[in-house]
Amino acid sequence: MELTVYLAGQIHDDWRKKLKDKASQKNLPITFVGPMENHDRSDNIGEEILGKQPNAIIKDDVASQFNNLRTRVLMQKADVVIALFGESYKQWNSALDAGNAISLNKPLILVRPEELHHPLKEISERAQVTVTDVDQALEALAYIFATE
Amino acid sequence: MELTVYLAGQIHDDWRKKLKDKASQKNLPITFVGPMENHDRSDNIGEEILGKQPNAIIKDDVASQFNNLRTRVLMQKADVVIALFGESYKQWNSALDAGNAISLNKPLILVRPEELHHPLKEISERAQVTVTDVDQALEALAYIFATE
Amino acid sequence: MELTVYLAGQIHDDWRKKLKDKASQKNLPITFVGPMENHDRSDNIGEEILGKQPNAIIKDDVASQFNNLRTRVLMQKADVVIALFGESYKQWNSALDAGNAISLNKPLILVRPEELHHPLKEISERAQVTVTDVDQALEALAYIFATE
Amino acid sequence: MELTVYLAGQIHDDWRKKLKDKASQKNLPITFVGPMENHDRSDNIGEEILGKQPNAIIKDDVASQFNNLRTRVLMQKADVVIALFGESYKQWNSALDAGNAISLNKPLILVRPEELHHPLKEISERAQVTVTDVDQALEALAYIFATE
Amino acid sequence: MELTVYLAGQIHDDWRKKLKDKASQKNLPITFVGPMENHDRSDNIGEEILGKQPNAIIKDDVASQFNNLRTRVLMQKADVVIALFGESYKQWNSALDAGNAISLNKPLILVRPEELHHPLKEISERAQVTVTDVDQALEALAYIFATE
Amino acid sequence: MELTVYLAGQIHDDWRKKLKDKASQKNLPITFVGPMENHDRSDNIGEEILGKQPNAIIKDDVASQFNNLRTRVLMQKADVVIALFGESYKQWNSALDAGNAISLNKPLILVRPEELHHPLKEISERAQVTVTDVDQALEALAYIFATE
Amino acid sequence: MELTVYLAGQIHDDWRKKLKDKASQKNLPITFVGPMENHDRSDNIGEEILGKQPNAIIKDDVASQFNNLRTRVLMQKADVVIALFGESYKQWNSALDAGNAISLNKPLILVRPEELHHPLKEISERAQVTVTDVDQALEALAYIFATE
Amino acid sequence: MELTVYLAGQIHDDWRKKLKDKASQKNLPITFVGPMENHDRSDNIGEEILGKQPNAIIKDDVASQFNNLRTRVLMQKADVVIALFGESYKQWNSALDAGNAISLNKPLILVRPEELHHPLKEISERAQVTVTDVDQALEALAYIFATE
């Protein structure tokens, strides 16, 4: 029994790496996938592949095509989706990913500080579990495999 | 041929009423549905039905149950979903609704000011059409019925 | 916009009739469906249609075929499922109906007295809303239609 | 050809271990999954991960989130679901799991003593097979692989 | 609440007409649909629409296209499928329709004389109900609507 | 029993109008839907709604968004899809619509002159019926309703 | 790339073994699955697992449960279904399996002698390919893997 | 994490081989599948398996059955579909495959020269990404696996 887990959320710090390291230490048979974490590359991927675009709007449009290609393929492979919210950034993509996970019938683990309880209450209600930090999300994943 | 359209987005002004009025003037055979637009009632619906709750957190939790009941039932009825984004509010529920619409295979019309192009580029890419104001969204709906 | 609501739960008192009467008073555009409420007929429907059976086991087997025919057809028509639990009876069919509603992606309203919180906690968690009496379930349905 | 089988039912004795041991002796290529069988841990998993909760109700609510996360992920992986019913306990979760299995189109093996024929007749009718003990369920699984 | 019922089975006598007449007498709100009952027209429909074909094989091939168009469209509309088997004819189309109904999750009512119990035992097991004559099938349909 | 039929294919002559007129004469209870038949409006709909675009490429891109919105909504409503191919034009949208209809499990009627047999053989094989003119397609639709 | 192929059809001669042997000689990466081919065991499997039954009817009923368990699990695993028809036996299960395969969107290979063209014309039309002997069915499978 | 990619498009040059070679050089864990690239064999596969056919029309009909068998099985296995369009050939099968990919919810990468922008604008709009050459498509696939 192996699981694939999609990690949605901001790409401005290394929370995914920390989660993966801890999962390795626990020997959990999980493959983690997620968006491109190199923010510059994520913004530039359209021009990287298609060449210089006429303006910033079109540069964004083509970048979003490749980023969504990646997200769609990897989320389709996932058994569970974790969506992390924090105090910074608009994080609309995280909420979009949460909605996609829910309607694709993939259990959602919502990670958010308690201060964000109110604005995230509807997402939390549709998530399968809500926790306040990434370590708790990892414990939730470990519990799926636990035998005692 | 009649259509049902779900109107996702903020509930702090009367954009839905304006849209419905204009649709009436055009005699479009559309039933518009959406979230509870009375913001206080939306926040209080849990206590309204279940009675006084122990604290604000739990009050929110139960309110979100009833709000999501409404959203799920009505979005399931919808042929098209319109999601409106503006400069104010976190609007995570709007992004959640967008994700749900996309994965339920319901065409999404994204309405947002051009200033929000960058943070909404991935949602825009998965939307069926992106427009900048509600009148344009209505024209898009009217085009579905147009015969010439 | 009209809704169909399936009413799962025990058939030993007239809770469904009370719910329907109150919905009529509120002029809610809801069609309520559910199992055969005449308990004797429900137990005898196999013999009623197929004739005398060899023993009580087979009588039960054939009755369950016709009862499940009814449940499957009517639940497939439903937009929302209400499941009522009380202190009496095994109520395994109610839990079965709850599971079917959840996996058919039909929002579930769980109605149960607070004393049953613990044994119903997993069903409650997967229900869309949990209330303690039938009047509250009706208010939840009314909220779907409310415009202010 | 390997199969995954979800084992739903009470967690108060070691029926799952016996089943797994016998399947091993028969060299059946089956991975068995199921709920957390450590009853205390199952009840406490919410507090174990999220910390002390304000009261027993909320403790239950959060525990059910993690238990349902486990059930949803593992049942999604399953090719067959076995649901065991006995004389003790309410067993509403077993009936819930049976309903979920049926509507997810996963064949259900119902295991129950003959005394429970009447109250389980509708679940039995929707199950793919009904047997009276766990050894028979294992024989049913072995028959899927049998070549003569 | 109205139902659509597809009537699969041989087209060599007027069993469908009798069923429809009795449903009318009972005022059941059911629309019955089914294959073309004019056997000659059913065999000739390919040539009727496309013109004379080179040989009997191709005549059959094109007829089957139009007959299957009809069956697919009408079965998709159906809430329930009735499949009638008798002593005569190969009736492979009836068994095909039964399989399609089952995998489309449309409850199947199997009508067959008791003499055919053995060869139809697997179809019967997957049918929702099995009866021995058309009147019983109609009673099963009536039971879906019965209120007492 | 009413049907909705989507009419895919070129928009350069009035074949749809002829089909609709003949269906009216036959009193068939069919609602026909399809793409915008005003070719100029179809090409300009993006600029009509969003205003002048920077260049022809972007003008095309936005037009295709609104045309696909229309197609997706109307095809989702359809019970049957008719795709017409002729000697002129690339007709890639017709083949795209055919593929969408097939994978959405909507029976496809392919209309094409015999000269196009070879290049359309794979589409024809996956279509439910293949005919050579629009009158035959209408006869196929009429056959679905025929009672003798 | 490996495929799983379900072999539906009569179990009175060793056509499956011949097919498997030839597939081995061609080194095709295919796992073949299918019904229990030991006819006596298939008829007796209910009593083998559940013990002596009251009469032949019930013996059949319980046998069909275990046979359908096997069929459902294995067909769900299959990428392709082959259904063989011959001159003997009623073969209603073969037609049932064909219908299930079609509605589960699994490509069907129909194998039948030319003499059976007429009664199988509708099944043939919905099959993906129709051939006249098992060797041809194997060639069809080999063609899926062929690189030149 | 491994992916399967279906390569739709013309079979008149070796674009698939070049793509596979480059993917090998990049060590991408991708299995590429697609139609039979030997054009003569593709046209003759019906006669190769079934023997000489009466005429060219029927020869085409049977060939298309085996080609579609291959396409359906392999596309079902695919995580991503690439559809290549060029200046030559009708390429209706490529557009058909694009439609099937879209409605099966498999992300589509459209490859086409810029000159074909206008006639492919609707397919492009529904594709997940649009690029102008095969190397760019490969970069898009590589981006799914990229970790920095």
Side-chain angles (χ1 to χ4, degrees):
Chain A
M1 176 70 56
E2 301 195 352
L3 296 181
T4 300
V5 177
Y6 187 91
L7 302 174
Q10 49 87 352
I11 56 175
H12 298 272
D13 65 39
D14 63 347
W15 68 273
R16 286 179 186 80
K17 182 175 183 312
K18 287 180 185 165
L19 181 68
K20 290 176 198 173
D21 287 349
K22 286 180 181 165
S24 281
Q25 289 163 20
K26 287 174 182 269
N27 289 317
L28 294 176
I30 299 176
T31 301
F32 291 98
V33 293
M36 166 53 60
E37 295 175 62
N38 179 329
H39 194 264
D40 282 349
R41 194 172 182 208
S42 168
D43 270 1
N44 295 325
I45 185 64
E47 293 200 333
E48 177 186 322
I49 294 181
L50 297 177
K52 187 70 182 170
Q53 299 297 310
N55 59 44
I57 297 285
I58 298 181
K59 176 186 165 183
D60 273 0
D61 283 346
V62 293
S64 68
Q65 291 184 9
F66 294 97
N67 286 317
N68 282 346
L69 172 66
R70 178 175 170 135
T71 300
R72 284 181 66 195
V73 171
L74 297 180
M75 195 183 283
Q76 204 68 50
K77 293 278 189 188
D79 300 296
V80 177
V81 173
I82 294 179
L84 173 84
F85 283 78
E87 298 286 356
S88 308
Y89 319 113
K90 292 198 184 305
Q91 303 173 297
W92 287 333
N93 281 1
S94 307
L96 175 75
D97 288 343
N100 281 316
I102 289 162
S103 288
L104 293 170
N105 199 24
K106 296 179 185 288
L108 176 70
I109 298 176
L110 174 65
V111 187
R112 55 104 188 92
E114 290 199 359
E115 296 72 35
L116 291 178
H117 169 81
H118 185 74
L120 284 168
K121 65 184 190 294
E122 273 82 19
I123 295 183
S124 173
E125 199 278 328
R126 296 215 60 192
Q128 182 55 53
V129 307
T130 298
V131 298
T132 54
D133 64 50
V134 170
D135 287 357
Q136 292 170 336
L138 188 62
E139 288 182 67
L141 293 175
Y143 184 64
I144 299 172
F145 296 99
T147 55
E148 61 189 335
Chain B
M1 175 72 57
E2 301 194 352
L3 295 181
T4 301
V5 177
Y6 187 90
L7 302 174
Q10 49 88 352
I11 56 176
H12 298 271
D13 66 37
D14 64 347
W15 68 273
R16 286 179 186 79
K17 182 175 183 311
K18 287 181 184 164
L19 180 68
K20 291 176 197 174
D21 288 349
K22 286 180 181 166
S24 282
Q25 288 162 20
K26 287 174 183 270
N27 289 318
L28 294 176
I30 299 176
T31 302
F32 291 98
V33 294
M36 167 52 60
E37 295 175 62
N38 178 331
H39 194 263
D40 282 350
R41 195 173 182 209
S42 168
D43 271 0
N44 295 324
I45 184 65
E47 293 200 333
E48 178 186 322
I49 295 181
L50 296 179
K52 186 70 181 170
Q53 299 297 309
N55 57 45
I57 297 285
I58 298 181
K59 176 186 164 184
D60 274 0
D61 283 346
V62 294
S64 68
Q65 291 183 9
F66 294 98
N67 285 318
N68 282 347
L69 171 67
R70 178 173 171 136
T71 300
R72 284 180 67 194
V73 171
L74 297 180
M75 195 183 284
Q76 204 69 49
K77 292 279 188 189
D79 300 297
V80 178
V81 173
I82 293 178
L84 173 83
F85 283 79
E87 298 286 356
S88 309
Y89 320 112
K90 292 198 183 304
Q91 302 172 298
W92 288 333
N93 281 2
S94 307
L96 175 75
D97 287 344
N100 281 316
I102 288 163
S103 289
L104 293 170
N105 199 24
K106 297 180 184 289
L108 176 70
I109 299 176
L110 174 66
V111 187
R112 54 108 187 89
E114 291 197 0
E115 297 72 36
L116 290 177
H117 169 81
H118 185 74
L120 285 168
K121 65 184 189 295
E122 273 82 20
I123 296 183
S124 173
E125 199 278 330
R126 297 214 61 190
Q128 181 54 54
V129 307
T130 299
V131 298
T132 53
D133 64 48
V134 170
D135 286 357
Q136 292 170 336
L138 188 62
E139 288 182 68
L141 293 175
Y143 184 64
I144 298 172
F145 296 98
T147 55
E148 62 188 335
Chain C
M1 177 71 57
E2 302 194 350
L3 296 180
T4 300
V5 177
Y6 187 90
L7 302 174
Q10 49 88 354
I11 56 175
H12 298 272
D13 66 38
D14 64 348
W15 68 273
R16 285 180 185 79
K17 183 177 183 311
K18 287 180 185 165
L19 181 67
K20 291 176 197 173
D21 287 349
K22 285 180 182 166
S24 282
Q25 289 162 20
K26 286 174 183 270
N27 289 316
L28 294 176
I30 299 176
T31 302
F32 291 99
V33 294
M36 167 52 60
E37 295 176 62
N38 178 331
H39 194 263
D40 283 349
R41 196 174 180 208
S42 168
D43 271 0
N44 295 326
I45 184 64
E47 292 200 332
E48 178 186 322
I49 294 181
L50 296 178
K52 186 71 180 171
Q53 299 298 308
N55 58 45
I57 296 285
I58 298 180
K59 177 186 165 185
D60 274 0
D61 283 346
V62 292
S64 68
Q65 291 184 8
F66 295 97
N67 286 317
N68 282 347
L69 171 67
R70 178 174 170 136
T71 300
R72 283 181 67 194
V73 171
L74 296 181
M75 195 183 284
Q76 204 69 50
K77 292 279 190 190
D79 300 297
V80 177
V81 173
I82 293 179
L84 173 83
F85 283 79
E87 298 286 356
S88 310
Y89 320 113
K90 292 197 184 303
Q91 302 172 297
W92 289 333
N93 281 2
S94 306
L96 175 75
D97 287 344
N100 281 316
I102 289 163
S103 288
L104 292 171
N105 199 23
K106 296 179 184 289
L108 175 70
I109 299 176
L110 174 66
V111 187
R112 54 106 188 91
E114 291 198 359
E115 296 72 35
L116 290 178
H117 169 80
H118 185 74
L120 284 168
K121 66 183 189 295
E122 272 82 19
I123 296 183
S124 173
E125 199 278 330
R126 297 212 61 191
Q128 181 54 55
V129 307
T130 299
V131 298
T132 54
D133 65 48
V134 169
D135 286 358
Q136 292 169 336
L138 188 62
E139 287 181 68
L141 293 175
Y143 183 64
I144 299 171
F145 296 98
T147 55
E148 61 187 336
Chain D
M1 176 70 57
E2 303 194 351
L3 295 181
T4 300
V5 177
Y6 187 90
L7 302 173
Q10 49 88 354
I11 56 175
H12 299 271
D13 66 38
D14 62 348
W15 69 273
R16 285 178 186 81
K17 182 175 183 312
K18 287 179 185 165
L19 180 67
K20 290 175 198 175
D21 287 349
K22 285 179 182 166
S24 282
Q25 289 163 19
K26 285 173 184 269
N27 289 316
L28 293 176
I30 299 176
T31 301
F32 291 98
V33 293
M36 167 52 60
E37 295 175 63
N38 178 330
H39 194 263
D40 282 350
R41 194 171 183 211
S42 168
D43 271 1
N44 295 325
I45 185 64
E47 293 200 334
E48 177 185 323
I49 295 181
L50 296 178
K52 187 71 181 170
Q53 299 297 309
N55 58 45
I57 296 285
I58 298 182
K59 176 185 165 184
D60 274 359
D61 283 346
V62 292
S64 69
Q65 290 184 9
F66 295 97
N67 286 317
N68 282 347
L69 172 67
R70 178 172 171 137
T71 300
R72 285 181 67 195
V73 172
L74 296 180
M75 195 182 283
Q76 204 68 48
K77 292 278 189 189
D79 300 296
V80 178
V81 173
I82 294 179
L84 173 83
F85 283 80
E87 297 287 356
S88 309
Y89 320 112
K90 292 198 184 302
Q91 303 173 297
W92 287 333
N93 281 1
S94 306
L96 175 75
D97 287 343
N100 281 316
I102 289 163
S103 289
L104 292 170
N105 198 24
K106 296 178 184 290
L108 176 69
I109 299 176
L110 174 65
V111 187
R112 55 105 188 91
E114 291 197 1
E115 296 72 37
L116 291 178
H117 169 81
H118 185 74
L120 284 168
K121 65 184 190 295
E122 273 82 20
I123 295 183
S124 173
E125 199 277 328
R126 297 216 60 192
Q128 181 53 55
V129 306
T130 299
V131 298
T132 55
D133 63 49
V134 170
D135 286 358
Q136 292 170 336
L138 188 62
E139 288 182 67
L141 293 175
Y143 184 65
I144 298 172
F145 296 98
T147 55
E148 61 187 335
Chain E
M1 175 71 57
E2 301 195 351
L3 295 181
T4 300
V5 178
Y6 187 90
L7 301 174
Q10 49 89 352
I11 56 176
H12 298 271
D13 66 36
D14 64 348
W15 68 273
R16 286 179 185 80
K17 183 177 182 312
K18 287 180 184 164
L19 181 67
K20 291 175 198 174
D21 287 349
K22 286 181 181 167
S24 282
Q25 288 163 20
K26 287 174 183 270
N27 289 318
L28 294 176
I30 298 176
T31 301
F32 292 99
V33 294
M36 166 52 60
E37 295 176 61
N38 179 331
H39 193 263
D40 283 349
R41 195 171 182 212
S42 168
D43 271 0
N44 296 325
I45 184 65
E47 292 200 334
E48 178 186 322
I49 294 181
L50 296 179
K52 186 70 179 172
Q53 299 297 309
N55 58 44
I57 297 284
I58 298 180
K59 176 187 164 183
D60 273 0
D61 284 346
V62 293
S64 68
Q65 290 183 9
F66 295 97
N67 285 318
N68 282 347
L69 171 67
R70 179 173 170 137
T71 300
R72 284 180 67 194
V73 171
L74 297 180
M75 194 182 284
Q76 205 68 48
K77 292 279 189 188
D79 300 297
V80 177
V81 173
I82 294 179
L84 173 82
F85 283 79
E87 297 286 357
S88 309
Y89 320 112
K90 291 198 184 303
Q91 302 172 298
W92 287 334
N93 281 1
S94 307
L96 176 75
D97 287 344
N100 281 317
I102 289 163
S103 289
L104 293 170
N105 200 23
K106 296 179 184 290
L108 176 70
I109 299 176
L110 174 66
V111 187
R112 54 106 188 90
E114 292 199 359
E115 296 72 35
L116 290 178
H117 169 80
H118 185 74
L120 285 168
K121 65 183 190 295
E122 273 82 19
I123 295 182
S124 173
E125 199 278 329
R126 297 214 60 191
Q128 181 54 54
V129 307
T130 298
V131 298
T132 54
D133 64 48
V134 169
D135 286 358
Q136 292 170 335
L138 188 62
E139 288 181 67
L141 293 175
Y143 184 64
I144 298 171
F145 296 98
T147 55
E148 63 187 334
Chain F
M1 176 72 57
E2 301 194 351
L3 295 180
T4 300
V5 177
Y6 186 90
L7 301 174
Q10 48 89 352
I11 56 175
H12 298 271
D13 67 37
D14 63 348
W15 68 273
R16 286 180 185 79
K17 181 175 185 310
K18 287 180 184 164
L19 181 68
K20 291 176 197 173
D21 288 348
K22 286 180 181 166
S24 282
Q25 289 163 19
K26 286 174 183 270
N27 289 317
L28 293 176
I30 299 176
T31 301
F32 291 98
V33 294
M36 166 52 60
E37 295 175 63
N38 179 329
H39 194 264
D40 283 349
R41 195 173 182 209
S42 168
D43 271 0
N44 296 325
I45 185 64
E47 292 200 334
E48 178 186 322
I49 295 181
L50 296 178
K52 187 69 180 172
Q53 299 297 310
N55 58 45
I57 297 284
I58 299 180
K59 176 186 165 185
D60 273 0
D61 283 346
V62 293
S64 68
Q65 291 184 8
F66 294 97
N67 285 318
N68 282 346
L69 171 68
R70 178 174 171 137
T71 301
R72 284 181 66 194
V73 171
L74 296 180
M75 195 183 284
Q76 204 68 49
K77 292 278 189 190
D79 299 297
V80 177
V81 173
I82 293 178
L84 174 84
F85 284 79
E87 298 286 356
S88 309
Y89 320 111
K90 291 197 185 303
Q91 302 173 297
W92 288 333
N93 281 2
S94 307
L96 175 75
D97 287 345
N100 281 316
I102 289 163
S103 289
L104 292 171
N105 199 22
K106 296 180 184 287
L108 176 70
I109 298 176
L110 174 65
V111 187
R112 54 105 188 91
E114 290 198 1
E115 297 72 34
L116 290 177
H117 169 80
H118 185 74
L120 284 168
K121 65 184 190 296
E122 273 82 19
I123 296 183
S124 173
E125 199 277 330
R126 298 214 59 191
Q128 181 54 54
V129 307
T130 298
V131 299
T132 54
D133 65 47
V134 170
D135 286 357
Q136 292 170 336
L138 189 62
E139 288 181 67
L141 293 175
Y143 184 64
I144 298 172
F145 296 98
T147 55
E148 62 188 333
Chain G
M1 176 70 56
E2 301 195 351
L3 295 180
T4 300
V5 177
Y6 187 91
L7 301 174
Q10 50 88 353
I11 56 175
H12 298 273
D13 65 39
D14 63 347
W15 69 273
R16 285 179 186 80
K17 183 175 182 312
K18 287 179 185 163
L19 181 67
K20 290 176 198 173
D21 287 350
K22 286 180 180 164
S24 282
Q25 289 163 19
K26 286 173 183 270
N27 289 317
L28 294 176
I30 299 176
T31 301
F32 291 99
V33 294
M36 166 52 60
E37 294 175 63
N38 178 331
H39 194 263
D40 283 350
R41 195 173 180 208
S42 168
D43 271 1
N44 294 325
I45 185 64
E47 293 200 332
E48 178 186 322
I49 294 180
L50 297 178
K52 186 71 181 170
Q53 299 297 308
N55 58 45
I57 296 285
I58 298 180
K59 176 186 164 183
D60 273 359
D61 282 347
V62 292
S64 69
Q65 290 183 9
F66 294 98
N67 285 317
N68 282 347
L69 171 67
R70 178 173 171 138
T71 300
R72 284 180 67 194
V73 171
L74 296 180
M75 195 182 284
Q76 204 68 49
K77 292 279 190 189
D79 300 295
V80 177
V81 173
I82 294 179
L84 173 84
F85 282 78
E87 298 286 358
S88 309
Y89 320 112
K90 291 196 185 304
Q91 303 173 296
W92 287 334
N93 282 1
S94 306
L96 175 75
D97 287 344
N100 281 316
I102 289 162
S103 288
L104 292 170
N105 199 24
K106 296 179 184 288
L108 176 70
I109 299 176
L110 174 65
V111 187
R112 55 108 186 87
E114 290 197 0
E115 296 72 35
L116 291 178
H117 169 80
H118 185 74
L120 284 168
K121 66 184 190 295
E122 274 83 19
I123 295 182
S124 173
E125 199 277 329
R126 296 213 60 191
Q128 181 54 55
V129 307
T130 299
V131 298
T132 54
D133 63 49
V134 169
D135 286 358
Q136 292 170 336
L138 189 61
E139 287 182 67
L141 293 175
Y143 184 65
I144 299 171
F145 296 98
T147 54
E148 60 189 335
Chain H
M1 175 71 56
E2 302 194 352
L3 295 181
T4 299
V5 177
Y6 187 90
L7 301 174
Q10 49 88 353
I11 55 176
H12 298 273
D13 65 38
D14 62 348
W15 68 273
R16 286 178 185 81
K17 182 175 182 313
K18 286 180 185 164
L19 181 68
K20 290 176 198 174
D21 287 349
K22 285 180 181 166
S24 281
Q25 289 163 19
K26 286 174 184 269
N27 289 317
L28 294 176
I30 299 176
T31 301
F32 291 97
V33 293
M36 166 52 60
E37 294 174 63
N38 178 330
H39 194 263
D40 283 349
R41 195 172 182 211
S42 168
D43 271 1
N44 295 325
I45 185 64
E47 293 200 333
E48 177 185 322
I49 294 180
L50 296 178
K52 186 71 182 170
Q53 299 297 310
N55 58 45
I57 297 285
I58 298 181
K59 176 186 165 183
D60 273 359
D61 284 346
V62 293
S64 69
Q65 291 183 9
F66 294 98
N67 286 318
N68 282 346
L69 172 67
R70 178 173 171 136
T71 300
R72 284 180 66 194
V73 171
L74 296 180
M75 195 182 284
Q76 204 69 49
K77 292 279 189 189
D79 299 296
V80 177
V81 173
I82 293 178
L84 173 83
F85 283 79
E87 297 286 356
S88 310
Y89 319 112
K90 292 196 183 305
Q91 303 174 295
W92 287 334
N93 281 2
S94 306
L96 175 75
D97 287 344
N100 281 317
I102 289 163
S103 289
L104 292 171
N105 199 23
K106 296 180 185 289
L108 176 69
I109 298 176
L110 175 65
V111 187
R112 55 107 187 89
E114 291 198 0
E115 297 71 37
L116 290 178
H117 169 80
H118 185 74
L120 284 169
K121 65 184 190 295
E122 273 82 19
I123 295 183
S124 174
E125 198 278 329
R126 297 214 60 191
Q128 182 53 55
V129 306
T130 298
V131 298
T132 54
D133 63 49
V134 170
D135 286 357
Q136 292 170 336
L138 188 62
E139 288 181 67
L141 293 175
Y143 184 64
I144 298 172
F145 296 98
T147 55
E148 60 188 336

